């Protein structure tokens, strides 16, 4: 399987960041299992395709 871009992982005791970058595109998940929270950030070639979502695991479970 061919995957363009670069994947990196920065992991600590209870937190980490998983990141994929290719040219102007980036997807990043920052998480902390101790606080049960994460942030998902996705950027594209222009501001119209940029998005950031901050949630906790409890938010997701409540949404069903």
């Amino acid at each position: 399987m061919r995957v363009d871009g670069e994947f990196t992982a920065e992991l600590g005791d209870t937190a980490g960041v998983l990141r994929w970058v290719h040219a102007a595109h980036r997807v990043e998940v920052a998480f902390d299992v101790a606080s049960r929270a994460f942030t998902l950030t996705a950027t594209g070639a222009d501001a119209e395709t940029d998005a950031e979502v901050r949630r906790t695991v409890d938010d997701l479970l409540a949404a069903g």
Side-chain angles (χ1 to χ4, degrees), residues 1-2 8 10 12 16 24 27-28 33 40 44 46 50 52 56 58:
M1 175 169 78
R2 180 176 171 222
T8 58
E10 302 167 15
V27 176
E28 178 178 293
V33 295
L40 173 65
D46 58 48
D50 293 353
E52 181 171 282
T56 66
D58 293 333

Side-chain angles (χ1 to χ4, degrees), residues 28-53:
E28 178 178 293
V29 177
F31 60 91
D32 186 333
V33 295
S35 66
R36 298 171 45 118
F38 67 92
T39 301
L40 173 65
T41 305
T43 60
D46 58 48
E48 290 182 21
T49 59
D50 293 353
E52 181 171 282
V53 177

